[in-house]
Amino acid sequence: METMKVSTMASMMKAYVLNAIGDLRLTEVPKPTPAAGEVLLRIAACGVCGSDIPRIYTKGTYRFPTIPGHEFSGYVEAVGKDVDAGLIGRLAAVFPLLPCRKCPSCEVGSYATCSAYDYRGSRSDGAFAEYVCVPAWNLIPAPEGLGAEEAAMAEPAAVALHALRRGGLDIGDNVLISGAGPIGLLLAQWAQAWGASQVLLADVDDRKLAFAKQLGFDQVANPLLEDLQAWALERTGGAGVDLAVEGAGHASSWENCLRAARSGGRVVLMGNPTGTMTLTQTGYWEMLRKQLTVVGTWNSDYSDFPKNEWKLAVQAMAERRIQALPLITHLVSLEQLGEAIAMMKDHSAFYSKVMWTNTK
């Protein structure tokens, strides 16, 4: 009987299970087994995305129960059929989107616009758990010198890179980023590394702006306290910014980006909307009269042609051209994760990136 008990316990793992909207509980669930083409990943680190908060507390996931968590890295512990056993023991970041590989978007490698995709952490179980199974195809092995927490930042780093590529960032551009959360700060780092002339950051939370200053971004503004268009014009010789990225998901942030952009400039819409996005007549005139190029961005490019943004992000972090670790303000254990998520919902403390880790 004792042997059977040990065997049963060994097949279980701890995980935060979302049973219904607002019902997130740490419990024991069966440890998954890798199917053909999959690996079993022991989670080393997993960040909490801003999108996880409404997913847990207001919107829900696509099915219940679900284990959330899509920004993660881990060590390959076992492999399924037809997977190279040489991966065992390797640290890897994970592309959480599982494309159908059959639709028109997938046929051209545009997996982010797949019409029938699965997604770890929202449509299927993610990494607020000790283990998860993922296809080997979704692994980005970590290069030498890259730690687990940095590897877990590959998802937001790739999303930020994709937004700037969508906006056609060029050397010498003046760039405005509206929203100074983790992805906004990664956008700022990418723009700086890319050769932007100036990187301007805007946010309505003065704590985020102070944090940005600590990271070396001195040109910051709170649009609740000053006219953002006038502020941007003053810093660009009266021209306006070449590229503005809306990263807050608020209508006023969108309009500020349109007003701050120069004639012929570009605006990227990136922020997940927190509600209905409306535009004033004045904002609409900004697009018309300045002949702005306004584009959307979604997720990131994982296809190797023309560029795999995940591989670029992982390599840039390994080479320290992108500094992800300073963005992590809260590093907690799995047992502490529930309390940290509640803190994020209540805004009871300042945070940038909250992450659970199994590396300490």
Side-chain angles (χ1 to χ4, degrees), residues 250-324:
H250 290 275
S252 59
S253 174
W254 178 20
E255 188 139 346
N256 279 333
C257 287
L258 298 173
R259 294 176 65 241
R262 66 166 173 81
S263 293
R266 290 103 58 203
V267 176
V268 178
L269 305 182
M270 186 196 72
N272 285 330
T274 56
T276 301
M277 299 290 282
T278 58
L279 191 62
T280 67
Q281 186 181 45
T282 300
Y284 194 80
W285 277 119
E286 293 283 330
M287 290 193 292
L288 297 184
R289 291 182 179 275
K290 293 196 288 191
Q291 298 192 122
L292 299 178
T293 298
V294 181
V295 300
T297 182
W298 187 250
N299 210 300
S300 51
D301 281 345
Y302 193 67
S303 174
D304 283 338
F305 183 83
K307 290 182 176 67
N308 186 313
E309 291 162 350
W310 280 72
K311 291 180 180 179
L312 290 174
V314 165
Q315 195 60 44
M317 289 189 291
E319 295 171 358
R320 303 297 182 260
R321 289 182 287 121
I322 298 297
Q323 299 282 343

Side-chain angles (χ1 to χ4, degrees), residues 32-42 72 74-85 87-88 90 92-94 120 131-139:
T33 301
E38 291 186 339
V39 303
L40 175 67
L41 207 70
R42 177 175 62 82
F72 61 100
Y75 292 92
V76 177
E77 187 163 289
V79 301
K81 184 181 177 182
D82 300 325
V83 178
D84 180 10
L87 288 171
I88 294 176
R90 291 291 304 273
V94 180
R120 289 289 183 254
Y131 294 90
V132 69
C133 286
V134 298
W137 180 83
N138 291 67
L139 298 179

Side-chain angles (χ1 to χ4, degrees), residues 11-47:
S11 66
M12 302 296 284
M13 68 173 185
K14 293 179 182 178
Y16 276 94
V17 179
L18 186 65
N19 298 284
I21 292 175
D23 183 7
L24 183 71
R25 282 177 273 164
L26 181 62
T27 186
E28 285 200 342
V29 298
K31 181 178 173 181
T33 301
E38 291 186 339
V39 303
L40 175 67
L41 207 70
R42 177 175 62 82
I43 302 303
C46 180

Side-chain angles (χ1 to χ4, degrees), residues 26-232:
L26 181 62
T27 186
E28 285 200 342
V29 298
K31 181 178 173 181
T33 301
E38 291 186 339
V39 303
L40 175 67
L41 207 70
R42 177 175 62 82
I43 302 303
C46 180
V48 184
C49 179
S51 67
D52 285 324
I53 304 306
R55 186 172 292 122
I56 292 168
Y57 290 106
T58 58
K59 295 181 179 179
T61 48
Y62 287 82
R63 63 169 176 81
F64 296 114
T66 307
I67 300 170
H70 62 271
E71 300 179 358
F72 61 100
S73 69
Y75 292 92
V76 177
E77 187 163 289
V79 301
K81 184 181 177 182
D82 300 325
V83 178
D84 180 10
L87 288 171
I88 294 176
R90 291 291 304 273
L91 172 68
V94 180
F95 179 56
L97 191 150
L98 283 65
C100 73
R101 312 287 286 275
K102 298 175 182 178
C103 71
S105 288
C106 286
E107 286 180 351
V108 295
S110 182
Y111 303 118
T113 57
C114 171
S115 59
Y117 67 90
D118 194 354
Y119 204 87
R120 289 289 183 254
S122 62
R123 296 172 184 248
S124 59
D125 289 340
F128 289 176
E130 293 180 298
Y131 294 90
V132 69
C133 286
V134 298
W137 180 83
N138 291 67
L139 298 179
I140 304 93
E144 188 72 27
L146 190 73
E149 287 85 11
E150 290 169 298
M153 292 290 286
E155 196 272 348
V159 167
L161 173 58
H162 185 65
L164 291 180
R165 293 187 67 219
R166 290 282 297 153
L169 179 66
D170 197 7
I171 293 173
D173 275 353
N174 291 307
V175 179
L176 168 68
I177 299 161
S178 182
I183 293 183
L185 294 171
L186 286 165
L187 279 162
Q189 288 194 44
W190 277 117
Q192 204 170 59
W194 211 318
S197 178
Q198 294 186 91
V199 177
L200 313 179
L201 277 164
D203 203 287
V204 297
D205 188 336
D206 284 330
R207 297 173 300 176
K208 291 183 179 180
L209 298 180
F211 187 66
K213 282 189 171 184
Q214 291 177 23
L215 298 176
F217 297 103
D218 294 326
Q219 301 204 71
V220 302
N222 185 332
L224 296 179
L225 303 178
E226 54 188 312
D227 186 313
L228 198 66
Q229 182 182 41
W231 178 78

